[in-house]
Amino acid sequence: MNAPVNQGTVRRDSPPRLDVVRLRQDFPILYQTVHGKPLVYLDNAATSQKPRSVIETETRYYGEINANVHRGVHTLSQRATDAFEAARDTVRRFINAARHEEIVFVRGTTEAINLVAASFGQRLQPGDEILITEMEHHSNIVPWQLLCERSGAVLRVAPIDDTGELKLDEFARLLSPATRLVAVTQLSNALGTVNPVRQLIELAHAAGAVVLVDGAQAVAHRPVDVQALDCDFYAFSGHKLYGPTGIGVLYGKGALLESMPPYQGGGDMIRQVSFAGTTYNDLPYKFEAGTPNIAGAIGLGAAIDYLNTLGLPVVAAHEQALLAAATAQAMQIPGLRLIGTARDKASILAFTLEGVHPHDVGTILDLEGVAVRAGHHCAMPVMAHFGLPATVRASFALYNTAEEVDVLMHAIRKAREVFG
Amino acid sequence: MSDLRDLYQELIVDHYRRPHNFGPLAGANRHAEGFNPLCGDHLSLSLKVVDGVIEDACFEGAGCAISTASASLMTDALKGKTEAEAEALFAVFHALVTAEDATSAEAPLGKLAVLAGVREFPTRVKCATLAWHTLLAALHQSDQPVSTE
Ligand SMILES: Cc1ncc(COP(=O)(O)O)c(C=O)c1O
């Protein structure tokens, strides 16, 4: 299979294709060798690479407009504030949030979830329940465990089956009037499973629960519409979306965010401070104490602009083709076992290789220039489900090619040979 | 540029596939557990120490080729050594897999020298040293499990 390359004319009966050869040039980091081999970057689920426009946006910010936001009367401060708020609006449009102030800038998915646990969590009582799934990332497990310790609430876990799909009937059965919050990933970073979040949200709402969707993996691979989903919270990180590290987003429904107490105290989040008492700022600033990652937010805006010029549906189709090709080829390799074979999957190929520890596979692949992740992927309960200490995970992004899938498969076969 | 076989030498692969001294140790009087949280590897080491001499050593657990081969070769090397000699061997081995220069390769490590290639792979040094840190814990009879992190 050849890399889907735009031939210049798009036939009307076929969807537009990504010109991967050309767009790879937008990612300077891809042009290097590792151990003497061309870099094949397949660790995109850990973090994605950044297009030049994102890198240049950050550089330009520091070189031309850096100033603190929301607090200066001078020109630079106004420019920085405008750029920062423009980025917020770019994010709003990207996930189709109804209101600007429903977009809270945070450090990443982890902080977004911790914010909800700390703030929304204050209304939880002993005996209340939080429902998550067995496939969650540690960052969508541990904050809830901590909250349960603090509040006396109980954590319930909906199990997965051996293909890595959520058991929907069990999920539905675990919902009850005691369920106050459901926290579920849209796309599993360890398995590639895409959850039917729309349906899960409907079920949860019917039980009276509030729903947080962990979109850390999903946003880069599927168009997200928080209003269509009707989720109460949606969390994601900039760095998995071709944006900078240290910036992320918590979307929350306005009325819900209004009703929640602040998360951190400090500058920017207040209206009036006196020792008699303090009143808080409006949304979203109530949740943005301190000087934010201004450059990061603007860089994230640039990343979203970049994705929008390509079109997320086109990107998704390209990645889906890569995943299909990789899956088919992987199944031809003796001793290779796919971990995560859900019907609806995206971007992630996790596997084990008989007789070769995942760490050794990772090192051998690295020697071939192929960057993958070997380990538990911050999803130890998933590893426990499959009785494994670790897996190898290749994850695809918009700049990966069919040739790179071939290199990956060749390297996996090499690992088999070493341990033959 | 490092070659695959610099790291994964035959001897390492052999010890991974058929580790020596693998299993429980009857009459063991020293014991320690080691973990590498990064990769989920787990190793438990048992020693039989009589009059300050390590008469026997065995290990159990699941790990990668590097950590398994290291534990296998280490337990081979420990037999007959005094506790002081074992600690000295730890220091020499540690230098072998972490040192910038290769001078320590001349130290009397025997087959253990096969692990020298790990030096080129900083992310894998912890795999090679897991068994050895567990050894120190066993010798010092620490009840705390050892962690590489
Ligand atoms: C599904 C999922 N949730 C949450 C996170 C945490 O994201 P971050 O480390 O950017 O906060 C990740 C990242 O690995 C993830 O894959």
Side-chain angles (χ1 to χ4, degrees):
Chain A
M1 199 189 128
N2 289 320
V5 174
N6 194 336
Q7 307 293 350
T9 51
V10 177
R11 295 222 323 271
R12 210 165 275 156
D13 54 341
S14 65
R17 292 182 146 195
L18 278 189
D19 186 350
V20 180
V21 172
R22 221 215 51 203
L23 71 81
R24 281 178 72 83
Q25 293 168 8
D26 298 336
F27 293 82
I29 204 171
L30 298 178
Y31 291 85
Q32 63 179 296
T33 56
V34 168
H35 296 293
K37 308 277 170 62
L39 170 66
V40 173
Y41 187 77
L42 297 177
D43 195 16
N44 296 289
T47 198
S48 59
Q49 300 304 348
K50 322 305 174 199
R52 192 173 282 110
S53 63
V54 169
I55 300 166
E56 285 173 356
T57 296
E58 281 220 10
T59 307
R60 200 175 323 118
Y61 169 75
Y62 284 120
E64 296 173 17
I65 54 176
N66 173 58
N68 213 326
V69 289
H70 307 134
R71 44 188 98 170
V73 293
H74 60 79
T75 304
L76 283 190
S77 174
Q78 191 54 49
R79 283 190 194 147
T81 304
D82 289 348
F84 184 68
E85 293 304 330
R88 195 190 307 276
D89 210 54
T90 302
V91 171
R92 181 194 68 73
R93 274 178 275 122
F94 182 61
I95 60 172
N96 194 34
R99 291 159 55 193
H100 191 77
E101 57 274 23
E102 291 175 327
I103 305 299
V104 179
F105 281 125
V106 291
R107 267 195 305 136
T109 311
T110 303
E111 190 177 35
I113 296 171
N114 276 279
L115 188 162
V116 174
S119 172
F120 177 84
Q122 287 183 32
R123 62 185 70 170
L124 265 64
Q125 309 275 332
D128 285 348
E129 294 185 1
I130 299 168
L131 177 60
I132 62 171
T133 81
E134 198 181 358
M135 72 174 90
E136 299 308 317
H137 186 280
H138 294 164
S139 66
N140 202 21
I141 301 174
V142 184
W144 309 123
Q145 289 176 326
L146 292 169
L147 173 57
C148 286
E149 273 174 35
R150 284 197 302 274
S151 65
V154 178
L155 190 64
R156 302 264 180 231
V157 184
I160 57 175
D161 67 20
D162 291 343
T163 69
E165 279 182 20
L166 183 64
K167 291 185 175 172
L168 279 179
D169 49 342
E170 299 271 340
F171 177 87
R173 202 178 48 75
L174 283 163
L175 284 166
S176 80
T179 314
R180 300 297 305 278
L181 185 101
V182 173
V184 58
T185 190
Q186 189 172 4
L187 166 47
S188 155
N189 66 308
L191 298 162
T193 308
V194 177
N195 277 319
V197 279
R198 177 98 182 70
Q199 192 185 348
L200 302 181
I201 291 164
E202 237 175 74
L203 287 167
H205 282 171
V210 160
V211 183
L212 177 143
V213 176
D214 173 353
Q217 294 295 335
V219 277
H221 305 292
R222 301 238 159 155
V224 169
D225 180 335
V226 290
Q227 293 187 74
L229 285 177
D230 197 27
C231 55
D232 301 288
F233 299 108
Y234 194 93
F236 65 97
S237 305
H239 70 97
K240 295 181 200 279
L241 188 65
Y242 310 100
T245 56
I247 187 75
V249 172
L250 173 68
Y251 157 82
K253 281 183 183 163
L256 193 53
L257 290 176
E258 302 273 8
S259 72
M260 285 160 48
Y263 165 52
Q264 293 178 331
D268 246 18
M269 55 75 70
I270 50 88
R271 171 160 299 132
Q272 189 98 50
V273 176
S274 79
F275 292 113
T278 292
T279 52
Y280 306 123
N281 204 341
D282 293 331
L283 291 177
Y285 311 109
K286 183 171 85 175
F287 292 109
E288 292 182 356
T291 302
N293 183 355
I294 306 164
I298 297 171
L300 173 57
I304 292 173
D305 287 342
Y306 180 83
L307 260 177
N308 285 340
T309 61
L310 301 177
L312 207 38
V314 182
V315 167
H318 168 68
E319 291 170 347
Q320 217 59 30
L322 289 179
L323 180 62
T327 304
Q329 290 186 50
M331 281 161 57
Q332 303 299 315
I333 297 178
L336 188 149
R337 175 183 169 207
L338 292 174
I339 306 299
T341 49
R343 284 162 294 182
D344 193 2
K345 274 188 73 174
S347 142
I348 283 164
L349 186 82
F351 61 91
T352 58
L353 206 54
E354 194 184 2
V356 195
H357 190 282
H359 248 199
D360 297 313
V361 178
T363 296
I364 293 169
L365 264 51
D366 183 51
L367 285 164
E368 295 296 312
V370 181
V372 295
R373 174 118 181 239
H376 53 61
H377 316 293
C378 299
M380 281 181 163
V382 171
M383 299 299 115
H385 178 95
F386 289 93
L388 300 166
T391 65
V392 185
R393 178 187 73 188
S395 48
F396 304 103
L398 57 87
Y399 39 67
N400 290 124
T401 66
E403 287 77 10
E404 289 182 312
V405 171
D406 294 343
V407 174
L408 167 69
M409 296 302 156
H410 179 76
I412 296 172
R413 287 180 190 275
K414 211 153 189 176
R416 290 267 311 162
E417 279 165 29
V418 170
F419 285 85
Chain B
M1 194 169 124
S2 352
D3 190 65
L4 202 52
R5 281 290 174 190
D6 291 345
L7 182 63
Y8 293 104
Q9 304 200 24
E10 282 304 336
L11 191 64
I12 290 180
V13 174
D14 284 350
H15 275 264
Y16 175 55
R17 290 163 69 186
R18 285 175 293 275
H20 299 184
N21 316 305
F22 190 82
L25 177 61
N29 54 6
R30 302 286 178 85
H31 190 81
E33 307 275 329
F35 293 96
N36 185 343
L38 194 67
C39 50
D41 285 358
H42 167 235
L43 184 144
S44 104
L45 180 72
S46 302
L47 304 176
K48 186 176 171 192
V49 182
V50 179
D51 296 335
V53 175
I54 300 170
E55 286 200 342
D56 209 351
C58 278
F59 77 102
E60 294 173 270
C64 64
I66 306 298
S67 75
T68 304
S70 183
S72 174
L73 288 160
M74 179 190 81
T75 44
D76 271 353
L78 288 178
K79 289 179 202 173
K81 295 240 177 347
T82 66
E83 291 181 71
E85 285 167 344
E87 294 213 19
L89 194 60
F90 170 93
V92 177
F93 181 80
H94 199 265
L96 173 81
V97 295
T98 58
E100 300 277 290
D101 58 65
T103 48
S104 52
E106 284 149 43
L109 277 163
K111 287 182 176 175
L112 285 165
V114 74
L115 285 156
V118 170
R119 198 191 286 135
E120 304 295 327
F121 298 86
T123 58
R124 305 304 302 276
V125 169
K126 283 173 178 170
C127 306
T129 54
L130 177 62
W132 294 81
H133 286 289
T134 311
L135 167 67
L136 281 197
L139 290 175
H140 299 158
Q141 277 295 30
S142 156
D143 289 333
Q144 282 296 313
V146 185
S147 167
T148 57
E149 292 302 296

